Amino acid sequence: MDTRDGLGGTMLADGTSGPSTSARGTTGSTFLDVFGLPEGEHCKPGGAAAKPKAGPGVLRATKSNSIVINPRQKGNPVIKNIRNVAWEFGDVIPDYVLGKTSCALFLSLRYHHLHPNYIQDRLQQLGHSYMLRILLVQVDVADPHHSLKELAKMCILADCTLILAWSAEEAGKYLETYKAYESKPADLIKEKTDKDYLSKATDFLTTIRSVNKTDVSTLVTTFRSIEGIIKASKEDLALCPGFGPQKAKRVYDALHQPFLRSKKPKPAQES
């Protein structure tokens, strides 16, 4: 029994690549076999398989500074767009191994329309071998909404992260970014906030409409603290430079209105 790889390849049930042409399906064994057609032509599931050229020896997936790529992805334009990190072909089950705990399967929606059961088989074959499992989908059809809805449900059930790309260049960028940030701490993508009092007051008060950083500085200078601003009346707020009756009312209302709106009584029905 064999299963198809993301774009027309063959992978045996034990995770090894099919060694002979007879083990390959009619859709071809590599990305290039399926999609290496003249521009304007579409992939036909009954087309003859092209025999791929013999490639160099592959490596087992180990700790590496490069992305390890399944040989069945040869010819995929995504590989040409992985420019900022090293990559190499290796004997791996996923299409792309991005680190010791992360990997990615690649799927073209055009191929998915021809073989709708393929990706489910690949996800089952992958299992929970990696902590982070990414399904990188290239949207290359005119109406993708129904297919994407199905894939989203499938990813939820398989505990898989769904990433959409609208071009091979964008897909390659996602792969190299995951690899580049493999060992980076989460602090790099966290919001950086200052811990001083004025910065905290600015983050708080600028959520009020039309209040900017200059206004916050004026309020803190005038009333000394957030507590002083809350206790100030509308008239006191309106006297601050840059404030008028309307802005003063917005600040006052934001600080004094209840968090929960009171329910309005229903009007009595006329008998």
Side-chain angles (χ1 to χ4, degrees):
M1 178 180 178
D2 66 275
T3 54
R4 298 288 155 199
D5 86 324
L7 297 152
T10 304
M11 189 69 70
L12 300 181
D14 62 356
T16 59
S17 302
S20 64
T21 306
S22 61
R24 302 186 181 104
T26 56
T27 53
S29 61
T30 67
F31 186 99
L32 194 59
D33 291 333
V34 177
F35 291 99
L37 301 174
E39 187 175 358
E41 293 188 17
H42 296 284
C43 174
K44 298 179 181 179
K51 186 176 181 181
K53 297 180 180 180
V58 294
L59 303 173
R60 290 279 175 184
T62 57
K63 184 178 179 181
S64 173
N65 293 325
S66 60
I67 298 176
V68 183
I69 303 175
N70 190 310
R72 299 299 178 178
Q73 289 291 302
K74 289 180 180 179
N76 190 336
V78 171
I79 298 177
K80 296 180 181 179
N81 291 283
I82 303 176
R83 304 186 181 98
N84 296 322
V85 297
W87 58 267
E88 60 186 349
F89 289 108
D91 187 8
V92 293
I93 294 178
D95 294 328
Y96 300 90
V97 174
L98 307 173
K100 295 180 66 176
T101 60
S102 59
C103 70
L105 294 175
F106 180 83
L107 179 67
S108 160
L109 280 187
R110 185 153 61 97
Y111 185 85
H112 179 63
H113 286 179
L114 296 174
H115 306 278
N117 295 326
Y118 154 75
I119 193 60
Q120 185 174 359
D121 295 337
R122 286 297 304 279
L123 287 171
Q124 289 177 351
Q125 181 188 25
L126 184 62
H128 291 79
S129 303
Y130 297 83
M131 291 179 61
L132 175 62
R133 298 174 297 282
I134 301 164
L135 177 58
L136 180 58
V137 176
Q138 182 172 336
V139 182
D140 51 3
V141 296
D143 186 14
H145 301 90
H146 179 69
S147 298
L148 292 179
K149 187 176 181 180
E150 291 180 345
L151 290 172
K153 291 180 180 179
M154 195 180 301
C155 287
I156 292 173
L157 294 175
D159 192 19
C160 184
T161 301
L162 178 63
I163 300 290
L164 303 182
W166 270 258
S167 66
E169 183 178 1
E170 184 181 359
K173 196 70 175 177
Y174 278 125
L175 293 174
E176 65 183 21
T177 300
Y178 270 106
K179 183 61 181 178
Y181 282 80
E182 175 189 4
S183 303
K184 298 295 191 339
D187 297 340
L188 291 174
I189 58 175
K190 289 182 179 179
E191 181 183 5
K192 295 182 179 179
T193 56
D194 296 325
K195 297 182 179 180
D196 60 282
Y197 186 83
L198 181 59
S199 297
K200 292 181 179 179
T202 300
D203 290 339
F204 167 54
L205 293 173
T206 50
T207 58
I208 303 172
R209 182 183 174 188
S210 74
V211 175
N212 54 41
K213 293 182 179 181
T214 303
D215 296 330
V216 175
S217 180
T218 300
L219 290 172
V220 172
T221 302
T222 303
F223 301 102
R224 302 298 179 183
S225 65
I226 296 295
E227 182 181 2
I229 297 171
I230 294 174
K231 291 181 178 180
S233 64
K234 293 181 184 179
E235 291 75 16
D236 293 334
L237 293 171
L239 292 175
C240 293
F243 279 74
Q246 188 175 9
K247 184 181 290 189
K249 182 178 183 302
R250 286 175 182 165
V251 173
Y252 184 88
D253 291 344
L255 297 176
H256 292 84
Q257 286 180 348
F259 288 103
L260 299 177
R261 293 183 179 179
S262 58
K263 296 182 179 179
K264 295 182 179 180
K266 295 182 180 179
Q269 297 180 353
E270 296 181 1
S271 57

